[in-house]
Amino acid sequence: MTKSMTGYGRSVASGNSLTVTAELKGVNSRYLDIKCKLSKAAAFLETSLKDQLQQSVGRGKLEL
């Protein structure tokens, strides 16, 4: 498990006339703080995405 992080990542996936772009920014922080900025069409994914991030990151301020 990552203990702390500072970084930025971006990925694009396409298929079946759908394109998804994801960006993740992270900075060091004492606690884990996850903010998700999703479109209305993808809002139902927020809980699942946060759960997946919590399994991989121990602390930090993350913006997806």
Side-chain angles (χ1 to χ4, degrees):
M1 177 183 289
T2 304
K3 298 295 182 190
S4 67
M5 62 179 271
T6 298
Y8 170 84
R10 183 175 192 262
S11 183
V12 178
S14 298
N16 296 334
S17 72
L18 178 68
T19 301
V20 176
T21 302
E23 294 180 344
L24 181 64
K25 297 181 221 177
V27 295
N28 287 331
S29 180
R30 186 173 180 183
Y31 303 103
L32 182 60
D33 180 21
I34 301 172
K35 303 277 190 218
C36 290
K37 295 181 180 181
L38 302 172
S39 67
K40 288 182 183 180
F44 71 96
L45 295 170
E46 183 171 351
T47 303
S48 176
L49 292 169
K50 283 184 176 183
D51 289 344
Q52 288 180 18
L53 284 171
Q54 286 177 338
Q55 292 176 9
S56 302
V57 181
R59 62 180 225 174
K61 188 178 244 186
L62 304 175
E63 184 178 308
L64 176 66

